Amino acid sequence: MSHRLTLCADDFAQSPAISAGILALLERRRLSATSVFSLSPLWPSLASELSPYAHHADIGLHCNLTHPFDDGARPLGHWLLHSQLRLLSRRQLCDVLLRQIDAFADALGRLPAYLDGHQHVHALPVVRDALFDAIALRWRAPAKPYLRAPDRLGDGGDSQGKGIVLKVLCAGFAGLTARRGYHTPSWFGGLYSLSAEADFPGLMRRWLRHCPDGSLIMCHPGLPANDSGDPIASVRQQEYRYLASPAFEEDCQRYDVTLLPFVQAAKLGS
C-alpha cells in the first residue's frame, strides 16, 4: 500500500559538512524536511542556500538547549533531571526559545514550518509548556507549526531500551499537543544507536517497510569531515552515502514510499 513519509535531516547549520550534505540531499529530493540550529554562527549565511528548497521540503527549528552555541547550553542530563523534578523556569525557557525562533525568522524571512528539539528536549516537562508559550507569542491564530512527538516513537531501531526511556521522559506530549490543536506525525522513527557498527541501510529499510502513511523519520546525514567535536561524524557519512545512493531510491520504490513535506504527507488541508 502506498504511503507518504516526511524524512527529516536534523542539525542543519551545525557545521559546514553537515549542512552541505543536507543541501545535496535536498537537491536530489532524498529528504523532505530539515531542522535548523538557528543560533549557529553559520545560519545567517546558510539561510539563503536553504530557502530555495522550501517549495518541496519543510524547514523547521531544531530547538536547542544542549549544543554549546551559547553560554545557556547545558548537558542533556541537566535538562532530564530538572525537567522531571519541575525545577526549570518556564519563563526563562520561553525567552530562550523565542530567541531561537526569532533568529530563524530573521535569516529565512519566515517562521519555522515545524518545531522539534535537539535530543528531543522540546517535549520534556516544563520545556513543552515554554514551547507552547513561545508559539503563542509568535504565531497568529489559526496558524501553527506542526510538532514532532517523540512519545509516538514506533520503532527504536537497534536501541529498544533507549526508545523506551525516551517515550517515558516525553510521556503525554502527543496527547497534550492534540488537545491544543497541533498536528503531529502519528508515527515517529529514526532512533538508533548512532554507532559506527549500526546497519543504517538495514534499519531504514525496516522503517520504510513498517511506517504508516503520514509518518516522520529523522536522520543525521553529513559529508565527510574531520570534526573532533562531533561524536557521530563517521555515522553521518554512512547515512549520507546510503541516502544519496541508488539503493535508497530503490528501497523507497520497493516499499512504495513517497517523500513529502508533512502537510502533504499527512493530507492536511485536503
Side-chain angles (χ1 to χ4, degrees):
M1 180 179 178
S2 176
H3 48 294
R4 290 158 285 199
L5 169 68
T6 302
L7 181 60
C8 177
D10 289 355
D11 305 339
F12 187 85
Q14 179 173 320
S15 75
I18 293 170
S19 303
I22 292 172
L23 288 169
L25 292 172
L26 286 168
E27 176 68 25
R28 300 180 65 176
R29 296 187 179 238
R30 300 298 178 85
L31 299 169
S32 53
T34 188
S35 300
V36 172
F37 276 129
S38 68
L39 294 188
S40 165
L42 300 174
W43 170 234
S45 61
L46 285 171
S48 61
E49 297 184 50
L50 187 58
S51 182
Y53 299 105
H55 66 284
H56 69 79
D58 293 325
I59 303 175
L61 175 64
H62 207 40
C63 299
N64 175 53
L65 298 175
T66 60
H67 195 83
F69 289 119
D70 60 17
D71 294 338
R74 297 289 184 273
L76 179 60
H78 167 89
W79 302 107
L80 295 181
L81 176 62
H82 287 73
S83 66
Q84 297 303 312
L85 296 176
R86 295 353 187 232
L87 295 177
L88 299 173
S89 167
R90 177 172 173 173
R91 181 173 181 178
Q92 290 178 1
L93 284 167
C94 180
D95 289 342
V96 168
L97 295 172
L98 286 173
R99 183 183 171 211
Q100 296 182 29
I101 293 169
D102 292 345
F104 180 103
D106 288 346
L108 198 64
R110 63 177 73 95
L111 288 166
Y114 65 92
L115 302 174
D116 61 30
H118 187 51
Q119 298 181 307
H120 313 291
V121 294
H122 70 294
L124 296 175
V126 187
V127 184
R128 63 180 66 168
D129 299 318
L131 181 74
F132 296 135
D133 293 342
I135 292 172
L137 289 169
R138 288 297 182 267
W139 273 262
R140 292 185 177 182
K144 289 182 179 180
Y146 73 86
L147 304 174
R148 180 185 297 180
D151 53 335
R152 284 187 167 157
L153 181 71
D155 186 333
D158 62 357
S159 297
Q160 296 299 323
K162 181 179 175 181
I164 292 171
V165 171
L166 174 64
K167 293 173 75 171
V168 169
L169 291 170
C170 300
F173 183 74
L176 185 59
T177 58
R179 290 192 294 275
R180 289 173 174 259
Y182 291 92
H183 292 293
T184 61
S186 60
W187 190 96
F188 170 53
L191 184 77
Y192 72 107
S193 62
L194 294 173
S195 67
E197 297 75 26
D199 178 16
F200 178 73
L203 290 169
M204 182 59 78
R205 291 183 188 106
R206 188 168 94 192
W207 297 326
L208 292 175
R209 184 168 62 250
H210 293 298
C211 68
D213 194 33
S215 297
L216 183 146
I217 294 177
M218 66 175 178
C219 57
H220 301 83
L223 293 182
N226 184 17
D227 187 352
S228 60
D230 184 4
I232 64 167
S234 62
V235 174
R236 294 186 192 279
Q237 298 174 41
Q238 294 176 19
E239 291 196 16
Y240 177 83
R241 283 195 297 269
Y242 169 67
L243 294 175
S245 71
F248 174 60
E249 185 175 24
E250 292 166 3
D251 289 336
C252 287
Q253 293 173 354
R254 179 180 298 113
Y255 300 115
D256 206 4
V257 170
T258 302
L259 302 184
L260 290 170
F262 177 66
V263 170
Q264 299 175 40
K267 299 175 286 188
L268 300 181
S270 60

